[in-house]
Amino acid sequence: MSTPDQALSRPSLSVVIPMYQELDNVEPMLERVHQGLADYGAPWELICVDDGSRDGTGERLRACAERRGGHVRVIRLRRNFGQTAAMQAGFESARGELIATLDGDLQNDPADIPRMVDALLERDLDLLQGWRRRRQDALVMRKIPSRIANKLIGKVTGVALHDYGCSLKVYRAEVIQEVALLGEMHRFIPVWVAGVTAPQRIGEIEVGHQARQFGTSKYGISRTFRVLVDLLSAFFFLRFGARPGHFFGLIGIAFGVIGGLLMTNLLWVKFWLGEDIGGRPLLIVAILMLLASVQLLTTGVLAEMLTRTFFASGDRSHFRIRWSSPAETAGWKEPAA
């Protein structure tokens, strides 16, 4: 429980909740957010992003927002762009100094947010990740794949956390709004944040987790394979995103050195020992190595040119908004007097 002094010193907060096909969870979610932030002690707003739902989620969100007031804002995407795009839309619309995110399935507890805000400020962090230590999900289908993925991501990226998949997070807005999320990279948000701030400013904290009450999960064990592909992409962009020529160039040089050594050996065999090398498989291998080297080096140069073009072209959103609450009517939920 926070003290009155802590409550008074909290910054303004934007709560972003992406939702897809969560009709039955809309009203309970909004109610629990208001209950959890009733004593927040500073201005806050709630941004619900409907990710192209077809079950009436968007319409119910608009109706609930009209009843709750201007501090509840709704963004509806034109189609299902995915959770990453929905979160990005919420980040770009957020006005708070801090941003909190959580899933719209009622498994995360909004009452954890004030405690997380206090911990982030006390520990001077830029991102505080929730850790569902007592996760209420199926062991084989959800928990085991998640544990394997968390350890693998930590080893590859160097950002070791227990629970990358937990959507309950608190960010400093000035940091997360510098990160452009693409594809299905919401699982790797701490990795991307580590690209714009020190990894030491990323922490985690235990949070509550509850079993889903309404609706069905949108994820299965098949996402484990997508995580592996996304992990490769995250590793590449984190280490070589601004210098792809180094990635392709190092591999190209390695292939060139191996191919050159093989070819030198074959030339020595041909001209010094007088042996025939035309039918040797090693000759084909050497030629392929040299050709691959040239191709990789050329690819590296082209990648450098594309990267410079991308950074010079300005920011472009990868989603399209169908409807959004008017900014001029947006308000804050002020603390009780």
Side-chain angles (χ1 to χ4, degrees):
M1 181 69 67
S2 61
T3 65
D5 290 341
Q6 284 178 307
L8 290 173
S9 62
R10 288 172 179 157
S12 58
L13 174 70
S14 296
V15 181
V16 175
I17 305 179
M19 305 188 77
Y20 176 64
Q21 307 285 76
E22 298 286 2
L23 179 64
D24 294 331
N25 284 325
V26 171
E27 294 188 37
M29 172 55 70
L30 266 65
E31 179 64 27
R32 287 182 57 181
V33 170
H34 281 77
Q35 291 176 356
L37 297 179
D39 298 323
Y40 182 69
W44 62 272
E45 64 176 354
L46 173 60
I47 302 174
C48 297
V49 185
D50 171 36
D51 187 21
S53 301
R54 300 180 302 279
D55 65 345
T57 297
E59 290 76 9
R60 184 163 295 182
L61 280 171
R62 290 183 65 175
C64 290
E66 290 176 0
R67 293 197 301 268
R68 291 283 182 176
H71 67 287
V72 179
R73 303 163 59 195
V74 179
I75 299 174
R76 297 187 65 190
L77 304 187
R78 290 190 177 275
R79 64 171 178 82
N80 179 224
F81 286 92
Q83 186 174 351
T84 302
M87 293 179 70
Q88 183 73 46
F91 291 156
E92 293 184 4
S93 299
R95 300 172 298 151
E97 297 172 73
L98 300 181
I99 299 176
T101 59
L102 67 158
D103 281 333
D105 55 11
L106 294 176
Q107 291 192 266
N108 299 136
D109 189 355
D112 284 326
I113 294 177
R115 178 172 61 89
M116 294 180 70
V117 168
D118 293 339
L120 179 137
L121 298 175
E122 181 180 351
R123 295 160 62 181
D124 193 23
L125 301 174
D126 290 327
L127 164 60
L128 186 61
Q129 168 78 49
W131 175 15
R132 300 166 294 181
R133 191 166 192 173
R134 296 172 180 82
R135 185 174 178 179
Q136 303 300 311
D137 280 323
L139 178 64
V140 176
M141 298 296 290
R142 302 294 294 274
K143 289 185 179 180
I144 293 178
S146 179
R147 289 170 184 170
I148 295 173
N150 289 328
K151 289 184 179 180
L152 183 60
I153 294 170
K155 289 289 185 181
V156 172
T157 64
V159 183
L161 297 172
H162 289 90
D163 192 1
Y164 270 87
C166 182
S167 294
L168 184 53
K169 302 178 177 71
V170 176
Y171 319 78
R172 292 189 189 271
E174 61 187 16
V175 174
I176 190 59
Q177 288 174 343
E178 290 185 25
V179 179
L181 301 176
L182 300 171
E184 295 187 22
M185 290 298 180
H186 57 276
R187 303 182 190 93
F188 298 95
I189 285 180
V191 177
W192 297 116
V193 170
V196 298
T197 190
Q200 294 77 15
R201 294 183 63 83
I202 299 174
E204 62 182 345
I205 189 172
E206 289 189 35
V207 296
H209 192 247
Q210 302 176 20
R212 175 183 276 272
Q213 299 177 11
F214 307 105
T216 58
S217 175
K218 312 304 184 296
Y219 304 107
I221 196 169
S222 61
R223 74 171 180 168
T224 303
F225 304 103
R226 296 198 297 271
V227 168
L228 295 176
V229 177
D230 291 340
L231 177 57
L232 177 61
S233 299
F235 173 77
F236 174 82
F237 283 105
L238 183 64
R239 300 290 180 88
F240 301 99
R243 48 189 181 94
H246 288 195
F247 176 80
F248 293 105
L250 289 173
I251 300 175
I253 291 174
F255 276 33
V257 170
I258 296 172
L261 291 174
L262 293 176
M263 192 61 72
T264 300
N265 176 69
L266 290 170
L267 290 174
W268 182 78
V269 171
K270 172 67 175 178
F271 293 107
W272 287 90
L273 301 181
E275 298 179 9
D276 183 24
I277 63 172
R280 298 194 178 193
L282 200 59
L283 177 62
I284 304 299
V285 173
I287 293 173
L288 289 176
M289 284 284 189
L290 292 174
L291 289 175
S293 174
V294 173
Q295 188 171 18
L296 285 166
L297 290 171
T298 305
T299 300
V301 174
L302 292 175
E304 288 284 346
M305 294 173 64
L306 289 173
T307 301
R308 282 159 173 71
T309 302
F310 171 77
F311 283 116
S313 63
D315 297 330
R316 296 187 62 184
S317 297
H318 61 289
F319 56 85
R320 297 295 179 270
I321 294 175
R322 176 182 177 186
W323 181 87
S324 175
S325 298
E328 57 271 15
T329 64
W332 296 97
K333 185 66 174 179
E334 297 291 345

